[in-house]
Amino acid sequence: MVVAGGGDHGGGAGNCCMKCWQHNRNHYYHQHHYNHNSNSSGNSNTASGGGGGGGRVVAAGFVFCLVCFVINGLIAVLYGWLILTPPVSLNERKGLPWLGCQEDNEGSWAIGVFFGQSPFSLKPIETTEIWRNESAAWPVANPVITCASASDSGFPSNFVADPFLYVQGDVFYLFYETKNSFTMQGDIGVAKSIDKGATWQQLGIALDEEWHLSYPYVFNYLGQIYMMPESSQKGELRLYRVMNFPLEWELDQVIMKKPLIDSFIIDHNGEYWLFGSEHSSFGATNGQLEIWYSSSPLGPWKPHKKNPIYNTYRSFGARNGGRPFRYNGNLYRIGQDCGETYGRRVRIFKVEVLSRVDYKEVEVPFPFEESSKGRNAWNGARYHHLDVQQLKSGEWVGVMDGDRVPSGDSVHRFLLGCASVAAVSGLILFLGVLLGAVNCIIPLNWCADYSGKRSDTLIAWERANVFSSKLRRVFSRLNRVPSFLRSWIKPNTFAGRSVLTLIFALGVALSCTGVTFIYGGSGAEEPYSWKGQFSQFTLITMTYDARLWNLKMFVNHYSRCASVKEILVVWNKGIPPKVSDLNSAVPVRIRVEDLNSLNNRFKVDPLIKTRAVLELDDDIMMPCDDIERGFMLWRQHPDRIVGFYPRYVDGSRLEYSGEKYARKNKGYNMILTGAAFMDSQVAFERYWSEQARPGREVVDKYFNCEDVLMNFLYANASSTKTVEYVRPAWAIDTSKLSSAAISRDTNVHYKIRSECLRKFSDMYGSMSGRRWEFDSRKDRWDV
């Protein structure tokens, strides 16, 4: 690109090219004259000094483009600082060192546990309502093993995948691929659970070779335990035998000198069958499958007559996706659907014929309920491996891996970000053309009408090359574009200014988009683990018919938050909507109340399946990441009210004030329960106790102050801290857009609450002496 300043806004279609040509001619004349004089004085190396005026013209246009680019960049940086939620790395949020859980182009795979009465009715572990008091996991939720699990145990990992279960009595051993954050290759890790998969002890690395390992297929044969991991990078299929279970293994033999991937061995009809895929041959894809047979899993192996069994589309499910299983006398094979992306989903095939000369299978439905939470779900984008086994109790247990992003997501986002930056550069060039700062798009010596000095060799080559001649004519026409555009869009008119404004706004938008793609992370708002475990909560909101539009927006947004198990709508007045009217990613239950009372918010409800509840007004919108941070903090302090709106009540003043008053006093002693986590069993029983009856009457009298009463009840029950504050990145009060709000008149609202403060102080004691400072926790979420 050649740019020049001082151009006219108008002019004919040929003006730009003529100006460029005239400037070039003058430049050549002065340069030639200068060289002649220099040569005569014995200095032949000063030709570069000519054309100083042209250089200044070029520099002026370059500076214009540079300044515009810098301005767009500064706006994008400001956008990222103010708007974008900083992508908190898993290392930071799990309290890990910098090792492990680095962003990986292969994904962010994790492992979950599932239970069912059959392999076709598997449900995630959270549906079994297994509780762990030590980690406030009420209930324990998937995923149960992540890169953080391995990294926190001293084995830095970017992701964990390909889980295989080995059951010994009541003890579960889990072998899986863990991608080493140092070597960037797969190793085989192992973990142990003594409570049916609720908690896992990381035992270490069971197998580490100089090449990539994955798919650790573990099985028994003649009282020995064997492992057959994928080692295609070595070009072999290797079989290992345990020496000291589960961490010490030695090579037993090389089964086959073929780079097979995702292989397993199954005993069927008196013979052993080896299924695997080879991707080393030309044209091989994830749609290839081969079979071998033998009288022993130790070989020798003979190829099936119909090999390759499949060599078809990636989405077919030919590539193995876990351990085969038997159910009701039938053999089933698990395959991977790699159509949309690698490992998009698993597919189940019923084997109808398996013999030395024939193989037939048919796909059967696998009623696995995929999450609708998108990237916020740990397996929202793909799940490609399943190992399901029947326990002695008759129950079936399955381990499955999952990922929240598709394969190659980080590279894809980077390329989109670079494309956005390139588009911004194009818009800046376009803007310079319209403003007259850029007169020539293509360098002059590339154009057909260039009269400057060129080498004889270049001229001879151009004469012999017809394409070069045509290309130079095209470049000449391109250099006429600036004048044409300025004659068509005149910047000094209203229409012209509108176009310039639109171009500038589009450039800013693309700059912000580029920053989002490159630095904004995957877009997932992930849950925060506490003591290595995840859990779920019930979201409760109270509303009525006049605020239905609020409710629809509310449910659509918050149901996508990772840790939300269910949404309970407390319907206080009017005809309730149908659940089908709400676009929700989780179950929604509408509890219709007989009496329109704010006390209904805290009603004891035996159908609530979690200890943690988030009471959230339907007119508050905030990011899921803030909700997840609040939930993690509540799990650390389940005996407290943890929320997002702090207040300070002066025991002597007893006048209700907003957050500014708390900031002025540098502390708080109340959290509004319009956006707060609490223990549903403790809080609701406390609220509906006989002691709280006078307070509930005050709430019904004023139709207000239920959150103030809850804070007094907590404070009355403990002499220690009862509230915790989490500052949200941003929050929007949608009640400002509606007339249906009880606190629309702030003065009246505060006056009623001040009266409540005085009454509750008489009933339950003063808040005097209770004040907790902002920015007092290590997490810095309470600033």
Side-chain angles (χ1 to χ4, degrees):
M1 178 186 74
V2 173
V3 290
D8 204 354
H9 291 304
N15 286 356
C16 172
C17 213
M18 182 59 69
K19 289 177 182 178
C20 291
W21 177 82
Q22 287 174 347
H23 163 68
N24 177 70
R25 183 186 62 181
N26 294 336
H27 168 69
Y28 169 72
Y29 171 77
H30 290 300
Q31 184 182 33
H32 177 74
H33 182 67
Y34 184 79
N35 286 343
H36 175 74
N37 291 339
S38 298
N39 289 336
S40 66
S41 62
N43 184 1
S44 61
N45 195 31
T46 56
S48 60
R56 287 192 296 272
V57 171
V58 171
F62 176 77
V63 168
F64 170 83
C65 292
L66 180 62
V67 169
C68 288
F69 200 85
V70 169
I71 291 174
N72 276 270
L74 290 174
I75 294 174
V77 169
L78 183 64
Y79 162 82
W81 182 57
L82 294 176
I83 305 299
L84 277 183
T85 301
V88 181
S89 71
L90 287 174
N91 311 332
E92 294 171 348
R93 66 173 43 180
K94 306 293 188 297
L96 299 178
W98 65 274
L99 304 174
C101 293
Q102 305 299 317
E103 186 173 46
D104 198 295
N105 195 47
E106 289 190 68
S108 57
W109 295 93
I111 297 171
V113 176
F114 299 78
F115 292 96
Q117 295 306 309
S118 81
F120 297 98
S121 62
L122 297 175
K123 299 294 182 183
I125 191 172
E126 49 264 32
T127 62
T128 63
E129 300 184 17
I130 297 176
W131 289 17
R132 292 290 299 179
N133 291 334
E134 296 84 355
S135 59
W138 303 322
V140 172
N142 280 328
V144 295
I145 297 180
T146 65
C147 63
S149 307
S151 300
D152 201 21
S153 300
F155 311 101
S157 170
N158 281 2
F159 63 77
V160 293
D162 291 357
F164 280 99
L165 198 61
Y166 188 85
V167 181
Q168 283 187 338
D170 295 328
V171 181
F172 292 175
Y173 291 93
L174 188 70
F175 294 85
Y176 57 90
E177 172 195 354
T178 171
K179 186 171 183 180
N180 190 297
S181 300
F182 285 134
T183 64
M184 299 302 288
Q185 72 179 23
D187 300 327
I188 304 304
V190 59
K192 173 183 176 181
S193 174
I194 58 174
D195 52 10
K196 293 185 65 176
T199 58
W200 293 85
Q201 176 191 359
Q202 297 297 318
L203 301 180
I205 301 300
L207 196 58
D208 180 8
E209 298 283 17
E210 295 180 357
W211 52 87
H212 172 83
L213 297 172
S214 61
Y215 207 84
Y217 181 70
V218 181
F219 64 95
N220 284 323
Y221 177 65
L222 297 180
Q224 292 287 331
I225 304 176
Y226 293 89
M227 181 198 299
M228 187 177 66
E230 177 200 323
S231 51
S232 60
Q233 196 176 87
K234 179 68 172 174
E236 300 172 343
L237 183 60
R238 298 160 68 92
L239 186 66
Y240 295 82
R241 181 166 49 88
V242 73
M243 301 301 294
N244 185 13
F245 188 82
L247 288 174
E248 295 182 20
W249 301 77
E250 71 170 8
L251 178 65
D252 186 83
Q253 63 174 284
V254 175
I255 290 182
M256 203 175 296
K257 287 282 187 178
K258 291 176 72 70
L260 294 183
I261 63 172
D262 297 354
S263 304
F264 65 75
I265 296 174
I266 184 72
D267 179 7
H268 184 70
N269 289 340
E271 289 192 285
Y272 288 89
W273 304 86
L274 191 155
F275 288 62
S277 301
E278 182 182 1
H279 289 182
S280 61
S281 60
F282 179 77
T285 67
N286 284 319
Q288 201 261 12
L289 178 66
E290 298 181 19
I291 299 177
W292 290 262
Y293 62 90
S294 172
S295 60
S296 164
L298 306 181
W301 295 94
K302 298 179 181 180
H304 195 279
K305 184 178 179 179
K306 287 191 173 182
N307 275 351
I309 301 299
Y310 296 127
N311 194 6
T312 182
Y313 300 109
R314 294 178 299 175
S315 60
F316 184 80
R319 180 171 177 171
N320 294 322
R323 186 191 305 271
F325 63 90
R326 288 184 173 87
Y327 179 65
N328 286 343
N330 297 311
L331 177 64
Y332 294 87
R333 184 184 71 87
I334 303 173
Q336 295 184 46
D337 178 349
C338 298
E340 302 170 36
T341 182
Y342 167 68
R344 172 61 186 88
R345 62 176 60 86
V346 297
R347 299 172 67 176
I348 309 296
F349 299 88
K350 178 182 176 182
V351 178
E352 294 189 329
V353 178
L354 175 55
S355 68
R356 295 185 178 188
V357 296
D358 198 10
Y359 179 77
K360 290 181 181 179
E361 65 180 12
V362 293
E363 184 173 7
V364 296
F366 181 51
F368 179 75
E369 185 176 347
E370 296 186 10
S371 174
S372 300
K373 296 185 179 184
R375 297 192 174 202
N376 289 351
W378 70 277
N379 58 351
R382 48 187 179 155
Y383 52 97
H384 82 330
H385 183 102
L386 170 66
D387 182 9
V388 58
Q389 299 182 32
Q390 189 172 23
L391 302 176
K392 291 180 180 180
S393 62
E395 186 179 26
W396 288 77
V397 59
V399 287
M400 182 186 294
D401 60 12
D403 195 358
R404 63 180 74 252
V405 296
S407 179
D409 180 69
S410 59
V411 171
H412 179 67
R413 285 186 281 110
F414 179 76
L415 292 177
L416 287 176
C418 292
S420 299
V421 173
V424 171
S425 302
L427 286 174
I428 290 174
L429 178 62
F430 186 37
L431 190 65
V433 166
L434 294 181
L435 293 175
V438 177
N439 285 319
C440 300
I441 300 175
I442 305 297
L444 300 177
N445 57 354
W446 292 10
C447 299
D449 49 8
Y450 175 70
S451 59
K453 186 176 181 179
R454 295 200 300 272
S455 67
D456 294 337
T457 304
L458 180 61
I459 293 174
W461 179 81
E462 289 174 350
R463 287 173 178 171
N465 196 314
V466 178
F467 175 76
S468 173
S469 177
K470 292 181 178 179
L471 191 62
R472 289 170 65 82
R473 286 196 293 270
V474 170
F475 288 162
S476 295
R477 294 190 183 97
L478 283 176
N479 270 344
R480 298 171 188 163
V481 171
S483 293
F484 170 76
L485 290 175
R486 286 194 293 271
S487 66
W488 184 49
I489 304 174
K490 300 183 182 302
N492 57 348
T493 64
F494 174 77
R497 294 191 189 97
S498 300
V499 171
L500 294 176
T501 302
L502 180 62
I503 293 172
F504 178 77
L506 187 58
V508 170
L510 285 172
S511 299
C512 296
T513 300
V515 168
T516 301
F517 279 128
I518 296 175
Y519 297 108
S522 67
E525 295 177 286
E526 303 177 33
Y528 293 71
S529 72
W530 172 240
K531 293 187 177 180
Q533 291 187 297
F534 297 92
S535 189
Q536 293 184 321
F537 63 87
T538 301
L539 192 155
I540 302 177
T541 189
M542 187 167 60
T543 189
Y544 60 106
D545 52 2
R547 297 163 68 100
L548 183 57
W549 71 277
N550 272 67
L551 179 64
K552 290 183 177 181
M553 182 169 54
F554 178 97
V555 169
N556 181 64
H557 173 64
Y558 289 114
S559 68
R560 269 74 186 174
C561 295
S563 299
V564 175
K565 181 180 181 68
E566 181 186 33
I567 295 178
L568 170 60
V569 179
V570 179
W571 193 263
N572 258 4
K573 187 177 69 173
I575 300 176
K578 297 178 181 178
V579 172
S580 58
D581 294 337
L582 306 174
N583 180 16
S584 178
V586 299
V588 176
R589 180 165 60 93
I590 301 177
R591 192 181 73 200
V592 181
E593 302 292 349
D594 298 326
L595 178 66
N596 183 14
S597 169
L598 296 182
N599 291 320
N600 293 332
R601 178 194 293 272
F602 304 120
K603 184 177 288 187
V604 177
D605 189 336
L607 295 181
I608 293 176
K609 301 174 183 177
T610 63
R611 283 284 292 274
V613 294
L614 171 61
E615 293 279 359
L616 191 60
D617 289 345
D618 64 344
D619 53 13
I620 294 177
M621 300 296 290
M622 65 177 66
C624 285
D625 184 68
D626 290 332
I627 299 297
E628 297 295 344
R629 288 191 293 124
F631 183 41
M632 199 267 276
L633 183 61
W634 178 85
R635 292 180 63 198
Q636 298 177 47
H637 307 286
D639 58 331
R640 301 175 187 176
I641 299 174
V642 178
F644 305 91
Y645 292 93
R647 296 291 185 266
Y648 178 64
V649 177
D650 190 330
S652 58
R653 184 167 168 260
L654 288 180
E655 288 186 11
Y656 184 85
S657 302
E659 184 174 339
K660 288 184 179 179
Y661 183 73
R663 295 287 178 182
K664 181 180 178 181
N665 285 273
K666 299 181 180 180
Y668 62 97
N669 54 14
M670 282 180 51
I671 292 292
L672 300 188
T673 59
F677 286 93
M678 61 190 71
D679 186 329
S680 61
Q681 295 182 10
V682 174
F684 293 0
E685 290 175 4
R686 187 174 289 168
Y687 192 88
W688 286 92
S689 65
E690 184 61 25
Q691 179 193 25
R693 183 178 57 79
R696 296 197 303 271
E697 292 174 354
V698 172
V699 171
D700 281 335
K701 177 181 178 181
Y702 293 117
F703 203 76
N704 204 324
C705 305
E706 82 285 0
D707 50 352
V708 178
L709 174 58
M710 182 64 82
N711 276 270
F712 268 90
L713 294 174
Y714 262 76
N716 180 258
S718 175
S719 59
T720 60
K721 190 174 184 181
T722 57
V723 290
E724 292 286 351
Y725 167 60
V726 177
R727 182 172 184 171
W730 55 264
I732 300 175
D733 184 358
T734 60
S735 67
K736 306 299 182 184
L737 309 175
S738 170
S739 60
I742 65 172
S743 59
R744 190 167 182 83
D745 190 329
T746 303
N747 291 331
V748 173
H749 180 61
Y750 279 23
K751 184 177 180 180
I752 294 174
R753 287 181 161 250
S754 296
E755 181 64 24
C756 290
L757 288 176
R758 289 187 281 272
K759 290 182 178 294
F760 294 156
S761 295
D762 293 338
M763 295 176 185
Y764 307 109
S766 173
M767 285 278 192
S768 181
R770 287 178 171 269
R771 186 179 71 85
W772 292 276
E773 294 183 355
F774 294 104
D775 198 15
S776 61
R777 295 196 310 267
K778 291 183 180 180
D779 57 31
R780 300 296 312 279
W781 293 346
D782 59 342
V783 295

